[in-house]
């Protein structure tokens, strides 16, 4: 049986959906004011693997991942650039979708935008006000009265006494308690007109936390089977979601809470606030990483490298980003593709009675342990190489598809240049050979061999090797090449 670590109970639990055979999963998505960074990639890929395995396990999944398209940061970006809110959000939504596609992240079943659910947010705020859990302050903001909800802190493990003003919660003089958080923000005169909605509390816009309470309840009902997100959302965002939803409707918001681990840079979490982030596009783009979607191009070998870098670690573990770690991931992924290039994979699907398939399944059923699943892929690669076994190669490719890996043509994969290999680093600033130039040298080598000028043939092979190109001579005179 599938076991999932529940952040709320702090233990692994057998997964039992509220309705047998069906899973209602809500994951907090992006606030679209900038390009996604590699920390976002970790969240996107981690929950993509989760939904893939749930479906592979025979469950019908309704996967909802929202978009926050109204927020202080979005407003600031619009004002800075002189664009309307909708222009800013549409640009970065398109960029996010392009990044997801490059990383092999499947689209969620539904992708609601916060601005589409303002009415539902106001309904929840009204219910909270009726129950004495919300109040309008003198500055016009509507706040949640945290001390009126006895369960506050159960997800994060924080008590109200632990939460001193000025640490994690900003002090507002109009609040009854400095720990109270905003449900509805009163509009300011200088703010753009397209950031204001009519409400019983005057012109304004929703607070961030109420958005997810409204979208998850409206689309999936209560309780959710799984609620997930990045590590920084546990507190205060998810804690506040619980307070709002359970305060308004009673019962549980979600049965299982899942949080992926952080992506670290020199012991600090990768984040835009710390300025230590690297965007997905800076890592996988061919050419200008800020290009619009009409001209944005992706290096698919490097994109799969990023996915593999994420998947080969357990989703809950902290993961350290360094260029060397990307190189290591690229070299490891190359070894799996080399097995597929050496041995043509059959396409008979997965034999779940086979030992490595059973090991793969046992790992994934143990809280989506993709690290253990990847280990099974390497065992199959070794088996395929040893015995030239098409069946082992086929098993490896079919199992890898459940992780979103190894679906490229091996020859095309290896002919794609990559910055993340030992050969590429050794080349330094040297120009990388283009495919046409490589083929010309291969043809010249074939001509030299035909003329029995083996010294020249060896010289050309060495020249290609120095440029990071490896040759594989096949029967019949065919020569395949790949970038190391």
């Amino acid at each position: 049986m599938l076991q999932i670590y529940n952040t709320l109970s702090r233990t692994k639990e057998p997964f039992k959906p509220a309705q047998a055979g069906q899973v209602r999963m809500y994951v907090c998505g992006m606030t679209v004011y900038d390009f996604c960074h590699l920390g976002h990639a970790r969240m996107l890929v981690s929950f993509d693997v989760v939904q893939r395995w749930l479906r592979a396990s025979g469950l019908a999944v309704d996967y909802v991942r929202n978009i926050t398209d109204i927020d202080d940061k979005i407003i600031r970006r619009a004002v800075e650039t002189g664009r309307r809110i909708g222009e800013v959000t549409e640009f970065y939504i398109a960029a996010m979708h392009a990044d997801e596609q490059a990383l092999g992240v499947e689209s969620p079943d539904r992708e609601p935008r916060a601005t589409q659910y303002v009415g539902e947010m106001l309904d929840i705020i009204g219910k909270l006000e009726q129950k004495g859990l919300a109040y309008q302050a003198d500055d016009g903001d509507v706040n949640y009265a945290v001390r009126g909800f006895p369960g506050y802190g159960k997800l994060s493990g924080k008590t109200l006494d632990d939460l001193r003003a000025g640490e994690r919660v900003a002090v507002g003089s109009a609040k009854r308690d400095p720990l109270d958080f905003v449900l509805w923000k009163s509009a300011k005169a200088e703010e753009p007109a397209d950031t204001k909605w009519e409400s019983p509390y005057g012109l304004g816009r929703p607070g961030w936390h109420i958005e997810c309470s409204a979208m998850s309840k409206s689309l999936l009902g209560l309780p959710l089977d799984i609620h997930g997100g990045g590590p920084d959302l546990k507190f205060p965002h998810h804690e506040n979601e619980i307070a709002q939803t359970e305060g308004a409707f009673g019962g549980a918001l979600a049965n299982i809470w899942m949080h992926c681990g952080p992506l670290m840079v020199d012991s600090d979490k990768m984040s835009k606030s710390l300025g230590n982030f690297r965007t997905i596009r800076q890592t996988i783009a061919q050419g200008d990483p800020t290009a619009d979607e009409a001209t944005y191009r992706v290096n698919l070998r490097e994109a799969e490298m990023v996915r593999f870098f994420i998947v080969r670690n357990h989703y809950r573990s902290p993961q350290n980003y360094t260029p060397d770690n990307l190189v290591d991931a690229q070299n490891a992924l190359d070894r799996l593709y080399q097995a597929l290039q050496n041995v043509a994979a059959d396409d008979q699907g997965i034999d779940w009675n086979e030992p490595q398939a059973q090991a793969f399944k046992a790992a994934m059923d143990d809280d989506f342990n993709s690290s253990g699943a990847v280990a099974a892929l390497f065992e199959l690669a070794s088996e395929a190489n040893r015995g030239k076994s098409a069946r082992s190669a086929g098993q490896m490719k079919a199992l890898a598809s459940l992780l979103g890996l190894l679906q490229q043509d091996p020859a095309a994969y290896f002919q794609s240049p990559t910055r993340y290999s030992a050969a590429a680093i050794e080349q330094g600033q040297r120009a990388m050979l283009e495919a046409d130039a490589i083929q010309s040298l291969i043809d010249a080598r074939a001509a030299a061999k035909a003329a029995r000028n083996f010294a020249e043939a060896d010289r050309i092979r060495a020249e290609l090797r120095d440029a990071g190109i490896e040759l594989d001579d096949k029967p019949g005179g065919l020569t395949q090449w790949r970038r190391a």
Side-chain angles (χ1 to χ4, degrees):
M1 178 179 288
L2 174 62
Q3 303 269 331
I4 303 178
Y5 182 85
N6 188 349
T7 307
L8 183 63
S9 67
R10 296 162 182 76
T11 60
K12 289 182 189 176
E13 300 177 2
F15 181 54
K16 297 178 181 178
Q19 187 172 350
Q22 300 190 31
V23 181
R24 294 173 297 165
M25 183 167 81
Y26 183 90
V27 173
C28 292
M30 298 296 110
T31 300
V32 284
Y33 69 98
D34 205 346
F35 293 113
C36 295
H37 60 60
L38 291 177
H40 297 139
R42 188 173 194 202
M43 184 279 290
L44 292 167
V45 170
S46 294
F47 284 101
D48 181 59
V49 169
V50 167
Q51 66 89 19
R52 283 172 183 260
W53 185 247
L54 291 171
R55 296 181 202 274
S57 301
L59 296 164
V61 181
D62 190 354
Y63 176 24
V64 176
R65 193 187 68 224
N66 77 292
I67 292 173
T68 295
D69 60 346
I70 183 65
D71 178 86
D72 290 346
K73 295 174 183 177
I74 298 172
I75 294 171
R76 189 157 50 246
R77 180 57 58 93
V79 171
E80 289 171 353
T81 59
R83 292 182 290 174
R84 294 179 59 81
I85 295 292
E87 292 177 301
V88 172
T89 57
E90 287 299 333
F91 177 85
Y92 288 113
I93 288 170
M96 176 186 71
H97 286 160
D99 289 343
E100 290 169 3
Q101 184 176 9
L103 295 176
V105 173
E106 296 178 338
S107 299
D109 297 296
R110 291 184 279 182
E111 193 175 49
R113 301 185 185 191
T115 53
Q116 299 167 338
Y117 289 83
V118 174
E120 289 82 352
M121 298 174 205
L122 288 168
D123 287 343
I124 296 175
I125 294 171
K127 286 183 171 60
L128 293 172
E129 189 177 30
Q130 292 170 8
K131 295 186 176 184
L133 290 171
Y135 63 91
Q136 188 165 22
D138 292 341
D139 60 2
D141 289 351
V142 180
N143 300 313
Y144 188 96
V146 165
R147 294 188 184 274
F149 183 69
Y152 195 81
K154 62 183 177 181
L155 180 68
S156 61
K158 299 176 182 292
T159 67
L160 293 176
D161 291 336
D162 293 333
L163 298 171
R164 299 188 301 274
E167 289 186 348
R168 295 298 299 270
V169 184
V171 177
S173 59
K175 295 179 180 179
R176 295 176 183 170
D177 188 295
L179 302 181
D180 295 346
F181 59 88
V182 176
L183 299 168
W184 185 261
K185 293 188 175 186
S186 179
K188 308 298 185 291
E190 66 275 12
E191 292 173 340
D194 54 355
T195 66
K196 302 173 184 179
W197 282 262
E198 295 283 356
S199 82
Y201 313 102
L203 281 176
R205 66 178 185 275
W208 174 36
H209 312 301
I210 196 66
E211 296 175 355
C212 286
S213 287
M215 287 182 279
S216 61
K217 167 69 166 58
S218 299
L219 291 174
L220 294 173
L222 299 175
L224 308 173
D225 293 303
I226 296 173
H227 193 321
D232 54 334
L233 298 186
K234 186 189 306 182
F235 183 87
H237 183 55
H238 287 164
E239 195 74 74
N240 292 350
E241 270 192 74
I242 290 174
Q244 293 163 160
T245 306
E246 297 184 5
F249 301 104
L253 167 53
N255 291 330
I256 296 283
W257 286 87
M258 295 181 65
H259 296 89
C260 66
L263 186 64
M264 310 298 291
V265 181
D266 296 329
S267 77
D268 289 320
K269 184 177 73 70
M270 182 178 286
S271 69
K272 289 177 179 171
S273 62
L274 293 175
N276 64 352
F277 68 95
R278 181 176 178 83
T279 68
I280 296 171
R281 292 172 169 232
Q282 287 172 323
T283 313
I284 66 174
Q286 292 183 176
D288 181 8
T290 64
D292 63 29
E293 301 324 301
T295 56
Y296 175 48
R297 295 292 180 267
V298 172
N299 184 313
L300 294 178
R301 186 176 182 182
E302 294 177 351
E304 188 167 356
M305 169 208 67
V306 170
R307 185 179 181 97
F308 180 78
F309 167 70
I310 295 166
V311 169
R312 73 171 179 171
N313 286 267
H314 190 277
Y315 78 92
R316 282 194 291 115
S317 301
Q319 186 173 9
N320 194 41
Y321 163 79
T322 67
D324 285 346
N325 286 347
L326 290 185
V327 170
D328 184 63
Q330 185 73 84
N331 293 338
L333 183 61
D334 285 356
R335 291 198 298 275
L336 295 177
Y337 266 108
Q338 187 64 61
L340 292 178
Q341 190 171 51
N342 292 341
V343 183
D346 69 25
D347 58 357
Q348 297 179 29
I350 299 170
D351 178 3
W352 289 108
N353 294 315
E354 184 269 334
Q356 280 80 25
Q358 291 180 352
F360 184 102
K361 184 179 187 304
M364 292 300 290
D365 279 344
D366 183 13
D367 192 31
F368 308 101
N369 182 7
S370 57
S371 176
V374 167
L377 299 183
F378 276 101
E379 290 182 11
L380 285 165
S382 297
E383 192 174 278
N385 285 326
R386 281 196 306 270
K388 301 298 181 185
S389 169
R391 185 67 197 119
S392 295
Q395 276 279 81
M396 178 180 69
K397 185 175 181 180
L399 288 169
S401 71
L402 303 180
L403 301 176
L405 297 170
L406 302 186
Q407 302 308 296
Q408 297 186 59
D409 174 69
Y413 170 87
F414 279 119
Q415 291 179 8
S416 177
T418 176
R419 295 161 284 183
Y420 303 99
S421 69
I425 290 172
E426 287 169 6
Q427 283 181 269
Q429 299 302 314
R430 289 171 54 187
M432 186 169 285
L433 286 178
E434 298 294 334
D436 289 347
I438 294 168
Q439 191 59 53
S440 293
L441 286 168
I442 290 172
D443 293 342
R445 176 174 173 265
K449 290 171 69 176
R452 305 188 67 77
N453 187 350
F454 298 116
E456 175 64 7
D458 289 345
R459 186 198 67 76
I460 294 172
R461 186 182 192 114
E463 179 183 343
L464 287 167
R465 185 187 303 114
D466 289 344
I469 307 301
E470 296 183 1
L471 302 183
D472 186 9
D473 293 322
K474 298 293 186 182
L478 175 67
T479 298
Q480 292 182 338
W481 64 271
R482 72 185 189 94
R483 298 184 192 273

